[in-house]
Amino acid sequence: MADRSAGDGRTAGTVTGAESTTEIGRRVLRLRTERGFTQRQLAEPAYTAAYVSTLEAGKVRPSEAALRHLADRLGISYEELTTGRSPRDATRLRAAVTDARRALATGAAEDAAELFAEVRDEAERLGFAEERGAALLGLGDCALETGDLTVARDHFEAVERLLAGEPLPRRIPAIRGRAVAHLLAGELRYSCYLLESAIDELNASGLHDPYALLLLYTAAIAPYMDMGAHARAVRAAELALALAPSVDDPGLIARMHRGVARTLIAEGRTAEADASLAKAQELYEQLRIHTDLAHCHWMRGYVHAQDGNLERAERELRTARDMLASKRAALFTVQVEVELADVLRRRGRTADAEALLLPLLARTPAEGAAEATGEPDAAADEVGLTADRGAVHAGGAHRLLGLIADERGDAEAAEEHYCAALSLLERTGAAGDLADLCRLLGDLLRREGRLEAAMDAYRTGLGHRAAPGTTTLGPAPAEPPM
């Protein structure tokens, strides 16, 4: 992934002024001394000892021909002499990034983050901007998995600053990462804004990079669906499918299939959705990407729940939960547990559902991981479902608790949970969920004889349902030529 993530924008070997001249002079002096050459031995036959002396003092700007002669005599590459960066070091750092990516795919994000941090620090010390950007991108992905959304955004923004002078396609992985962080925080509109702005900029500038566009369209499906903008989600899925044959990245193709499945579910095409998820699952299994494989089990559980096959849904969701908890992916773990609780409630196991839901609203990652691993981590920061971390699922948890309270006749507790869910979801713009909550609240208030309050709740719900994802979003982004 390093080739997609960063670069410093300089042409190898370009001497740009007095400072570079001084640096090269010092480098020539150090390398000549290490090799035991005299100035005359280094200079001959093309140059004089006096020229080498002046160059080492930083008093002359060397020509490309002189630099190539000196590099050849010193036994190094022209690039290493002019930049101080060894191709061997670059290869070693890229291999380290690959190892860290593998660790993130198959193990705990905290362990992978240590590897990425080592690469970042060494790349910064050696002046390798591309490898530093790849490490920062990896650190952002690790923070997404652990639920440290502010940290994730900081890393992705650092990559964007590093690549400020690069063509936009190079910055797309970081923009996509930042959009996902905002999505997980419940900031659906801003997530859409980031993705759509990048799509528009790519198309307006004629930079129709298939990889970059597929990354953006695939990422846009989730916030579109959560906002109720189903038409846009379907179109993004169609464009992603059209772009897929031009992209040679199995992981991204698998992610695309997973996103497309959400639009198929919304259209009631559950068999096709399950087939799309099966393709994604096969690719993830081949790549041994455990977190994304867990997401496939998660979505297949959702598909079976939509089909009414609650036993299979519970099995898939428990598999996803156990996989995510074992990787200490705390935020994703609690999100799956909300959907598992919904299945348990629908199976008539309301006590089990309530017991699962109540701890989610104030929980630490250690608690989620400890149940799967038996190894609690008391130092972990809290990442339970809150208004700024997993707001959509936090609203879903309160909605389910409201339904459970309503079913057992506790109207006061039900109203409290419905109102808490509304408060959480209103800031996210999740139109479909908001409309459903208003209906539930209105029905509760009507049964209580509070007809005016019930009418207000119904009117609010109709307002959210009126034009989901159109009045709240700007014009749809321009489409690339296919």
Side-chain angles (χ1 to χ4, degrees):
M1 186 168 290
D3 60 322
R4 289 278 181 187
S5 60
D8 63 2
R10 292 182 294 177
T11 302
T14 300
V15 182
T16 56
E19 184 179 357
S20 296
T21 299
T22 301
E23 289 174 353
I24 289 176
R26 290 172 179 165
R27 196 171 298 128
V28 170
L29 173 61
R30 175 177 58 80
L31 292 169
R32 178 180 64 78
T33 304
E34 288 174 356
R35 285 155 176 75
F37 290 167
T38 65
Q39 290 176 336
R40 183 179 300 279
Q41 288 172 328
L42 181 61
E44 291 180 342
Y47 299 93
T48 65
Y51 176 77
V52 171
S53 175
T54 306
L55 187 153
E56 290 179 347
K59 295 179 180 179
V60 63
R61 182 176 181 180
S63 66
E64 180 178 336
L67 290 171
R68 291 193 180 279
H69 166 80
L70 294 172
D72 182 63
R73 294 286 291 155
L74 291 166
I76 61 173
S77 69
Y78 171 69
E79 179 184 8
E80 186 173 354
L81 180 60
T82 55
T83 66
R85 292 175 288 183
S86 165
R88 292 185 296 277
D89 286 336
T91 301
R92 180 173 53 79
L93 288 173
R94 288 175 189 142
V97 168
T98 300
D99 290 342
R101 279 279 165 202
R102 188 179 300 112
L104 177 59
T106 60
E110 291 94 336
D111 298 334
E114 292 181 7
L115 298 177
F116 280 121
E118 290 174 4
V119 177
R120 175 202 58 193
D121 295 344
E122 187 171 4
E124 185 173 8
R125 180 178 63 81
L126 294 173
F128 286 92
E130 181 175 338
E131 288 70 25
R132 180 184 168 210
L136 285 167
L137 193 66
L139 285 168
D141 289 337
C142 290
L144 283 182
E145 188 159 309
T146 58
D148 298 321
L149 303 182
T150 301
V151 173
R153 287 196 296 269
D154 289 344
H155 287 309
F156 293 131
E157 287 169 0
V159 177
E160 290 183 68
R161 288 193 299 272
L162 191 65
L163 301 179
E166 293 290 308
L168 179 58
R170 299 288 301 283
R171 303 196 301 274
I172 292 302
I175 294 171
R176 175 258 173 199
R178 192 153 57 96
V180 171
H182 285 288
L183 169 66
L184 292 173
E187 298 163 359
L188 307 185
R189 293 184 188 87
Y190 192 62
S191 178
C192 288
Y193 165 76
L194 288 174
L195 296 167
E196 291 187 342
S197 297
I199 291 170
D200 270 333
E201 189 176 346
L202 278 173
N203 290 328
S205 60
L207 298 172
H208 306 299
D209 183 291
Y211 178 92
L213 286 168
L214 183 58
L215 203 61
L216 293 169
Y217 283 123
T218 300
I221 292 171
Y224 283 157
M225 292 296 294
D226 286 343
M227 292 189 71
H230 292 167
R232 288 201 190 184
V234 169
R235 186 57 183 152
E238 291 171 347
L239 291 167
L241 286 168
L243 288 162
S246 302
V247 174
D248 184 20
D249 184 334
L252 181 52
I253 298 301
R255 191 183 299 157
M256 181 271 298
H257 281 299
R258 205 175 78 206
V260 166
R262 287 199 66 175
T263 68
L264 296 171
I265 294 167
E267 294 180 328
R269 297 158 62 185
T270 54
E272 294 172 71
D274 197 42
S276 190
L277 288 169
K279 293 177 184 176
Q281 188 168 327
E282 182 181 357
L283 286 167
Y284 287 137
E285 286 171 345
Q286 291 171 0
L287 295 169
R288 299 180 61 80
I289 302 178
H290 291 183
T291 300
D292 287 317
L293 180 57
H295 278 261
C296 281
H297 285 290
W298 179 357
M299 285 207 66
R300 295 190 87 169
Y302 180 76
V303 169
H304 294 314
Q306 292 292 101
D307 260 354
N309 191 338
L310 300 181
E311 184 179 353
R312 284 193 69 185
E314 180 181 347
R315 188 162 60 247
E316 291 282 5
L317 290 171
R318 286 193 182 278
T319 298
R321 177 198 176 282
D322 291 346
M323 291 178 70
L324 291 166
S326 69
K327 286 183 93 288
R328 303 200 291 274
L331 180 55
F332 293 140
T333 300
V334 295
Q335 288 177 329
V336 171
E337 287 177 331
V338 173
E339 299 194 21
L340 176 58
D342 184 34
V343 170
L344 293 174
R345 185 191 69 84
R346 290 170 61 187
R347 298 193 72 184
R349 294 155 58 186
T350 54
D352 291 342
E354 192 171 22
L356 189 59
L357 287 168
L358 285 171
L360 302 186
L361 301 174
R363 180 174 198 171
T364 68
E367 290 167 339
E371 292 180 23
T373 65
E375 298 177 0
D377 180 5
D381 295 327
E382 289 191 1
V383 292
L385 294 170
T386 65
D388 58 358
R389 185 183 281 112
V392 172
H393 280 79
H398 278 294
R399 173 187 173 277
L400 288 171
L401 288 168
L403 281 169
I404 291 169
D406 204 354
E407 289 165 356
R408 67 168 177 249
D410 189 346
E412 183 179 354
E415 182 178 350
E416 181 180 342
H417 282 298
Y418 289 153
C419 289
L422 280 170
S423 176
L424 285 162
L425 293 176
E426 278 178 336
R427 65 184 289 275
T428 71
D433 292 340
L434 282 165
D436 179 61
L437 271 168
C438 289
R439 177 188 60 80
L440 291 171
L441 180 59
D443 290 349
L444 174 66
L445 295 170
R446 181 169 53 82
R447 290 195 303 271
E448 292 277 295
R450 298 156 61 186
L451 299 183
E452 192 60 40
M455 290 295 291
D456 286 342
Y458 290 139
R459 290 189 192 100
T460 301
L462 287 171
H464 288 302
R465 180 57 80 183
T470 55
T471 57
T472 52
L473 293 170
E479 296 184 4
M482 303 303 294

